[in-house]
Amino acid sequence: MKHLFVGGYGPDLVTVNPDLAVIAGVAAQKASFLAPHPTLAVLYAVGEADSGLVSAYTVADGVLTPLAERSSEGSQPCHLAVHPDGEVLAVANYADGTVSLHRLDESGDFAGEPVVLRHAGSGPVAERQECSHAHQATFHDDLLHVADLGTDEIRRYTLAGAELAPVKLPPGTGPRHLVFEGGRCHVAGELDAMVRTYDAEWNDVAAVPASDEPGTNYPSHIEAAGAYLYVGNRGPDTVSVLRADDLGKVAEVPSGGSWPRHFAIDGDTMYVANQTSNTVALLPLVNGLPGPVEETFEVAAPACVLPW
């Protein structure tokens, strides 16, 4: 880790050095998710407000300098991703389900007018699925995939914004985040607290509870590394480790705080953003398995961690 960037619901987007000291911060409007440019020293952040924003910052020695800002074209943006070619950025707006595509120029700045992708629909969980809720936007095989918690769908688009047939998930799944691995797609359901695996033809091939702990669970982030999948569990306040090939349970460990909203793996360390305890926890990884918390540091309401 050169630096760790931490966004969330506090007043600042902060930079943490390898000694875990906060060395810089920039005022940011609910920067609840971050994404790096694949080749440039530019960092992007959502501004999760009713009138959503997306911001770009240049990065030099961990210091963030505002480069550009524009509307996310929707309400309460909660996720964003940059295509591997560095030419387009996608933003998922939770409150109204809108997704926007933004072209990027050679400096990482926004170029031209965005493509706005609106969606309609609902699900059976009335208080959470009254309309479309785009929760994640991610690129795979030159397609944009959107986890729509409100409509129980994985929406799919070309890079130009043409809509393809969505993948329908079981009613009440509430897909939050997904990850592609080994020709499969693994989906964390926030509302049914399940992890589901789909093959390359989108056949549902496996499904298991995200946590074995008693009580209500709201899975958050899911990530793949090596032979394992990792899932954050809000409620149990744990991180589960599953085998990527068959979703077999390997371990479930404390997250080092409360409400683990996001985590990131860098080398032999997992960084966990525990939102309601206002802490980021460091869990050492030994042969891919998280050990007891090694250290924590304080950040106001962290929602995303990015080692970069």
Side-chain angles (χ1 to χ4, degrees):
M1 181 193 83
K2 185 176 180 181
H3 292 100
L4 184 71
F5 299 92
V6 185
Y9 297 102
D12 298 320
L13 167 54
V14 302
T15 305
V16 179
N17 70 13
D19 296 323
L20 305 184
V22 176
I23 62 168
V26 60
Q29 175 183 269
K30 295 182 178 179
S32 63
F33 208 85
L34 314 173
H37 193 283
T39 59
L40 301 173
V42 178
L43 178 70
Y44 301 92
V46 299
E48 193 179 330
D50 289 341
S51 296
L53 296 173
V54 55
S55 301
Y57 303 87
T58 58
V59 184
D61 296 324
V63 177
L64 300 170
T65 301
L67 171 66
E69 182 177 272
R70 62 161 46 177
S71 170
S72 69
E73 303 297 329
S75 181
Q76 297 180 17
C78 62
H79 194 275
L80 77 173
V82 183
H83 187 273
D85 69 9
E87 295 183 0
V88 63
L89 175 148
V91 184
N93 293 277
Y94 178 80
D96 59 8
T98 298
V99 174
S100 54
L101 291 169
H102 305 259
R103 292 289 167 182
L104 303 176
D105 67 17
E106 64 278 0
S107 71
D109 197 352
F110 305 116
E113 293 300 313
V115 175
V116 181
L117 308 171
R118 306 195 188 280
H119 196 62
S122 61
V125 183
E127 66 274 18
R128 295 293 310 278
Q129 295 185 306
E130 78 290 352
C131 69
S132 172
H133 290 303
H135 219 312
Q136 184 197 37
T138 188
F139 295 101
H140 180 69
D141 286 346
D142 275 341
L143 293 179
L144 173 65
H145 295 76
V146 178
D148 195 320
L149 182 146
T151 65
D152 293 320
E153 294 172 318
I154 305 300
R155 296 155 52 185
R156 301 185 299 159
Y157 302 90
T158 69
L159 298 186
E163 186 173 6
L164 306 179
V167 178
K168 302 286 188 177
L169 306 186
T173 296
R176 180 185 175 93
H177 280 193
L178 58 87
V179 63
F180 289 93
E181 170 278 329
R184 299 175 291 260
C185 181
H186 309 281
V187 181
E190 179 172 332
L191 301 185
D192 69 356
M194 299 288 288
V195 175
R196 300 179 184 276
T197 296
Y198 293 84
D199 65 17
E201 286 72 44
W202 292 101
N203 298 304
D204 190 343
V205 296
V208 299
S211 171
D212 289 337
E213 295 295 316
T216 303
N217 179 28
Y218 298 99
S220 56
H221 187 54
I222 184 169
E223 193 56 79
Y228 298 134
L229 295 175
Y230 304 86
V231 187
N233 297 302
R234 295 171 299 170
D237 295 336
T238 62
V239 176
S240 294
V241 185
L242 309 174
R243 290 193 300 269
D245 58 355
D246 63 1
L247 299 188
K249 188 68 167 289
V250 179
E252 185 169 356
V253 302
S255 69
S258 61
W259 215 248
R261 185 182 180 93
H262 185 254
F263 61 86
I265 294 172
D266 184 56
D268 58 1
T269 302
M270 174 182 285
Y271 299 88
V272 185
N274 290 293
Q275 181 182 343
T276 59
S277 57
N278 300 301
T279 55
V280 174
L282 280 66
L283 279 62
L285 295 174
V286 179
N287 296 323
L289 300 182
V293 174
E294 197 171 58
E295 196 165 357
T296 63
F297 60 91
E298 293 187 0
V299 178
C304 181
V305 287
L306 175 64
W308 191 35

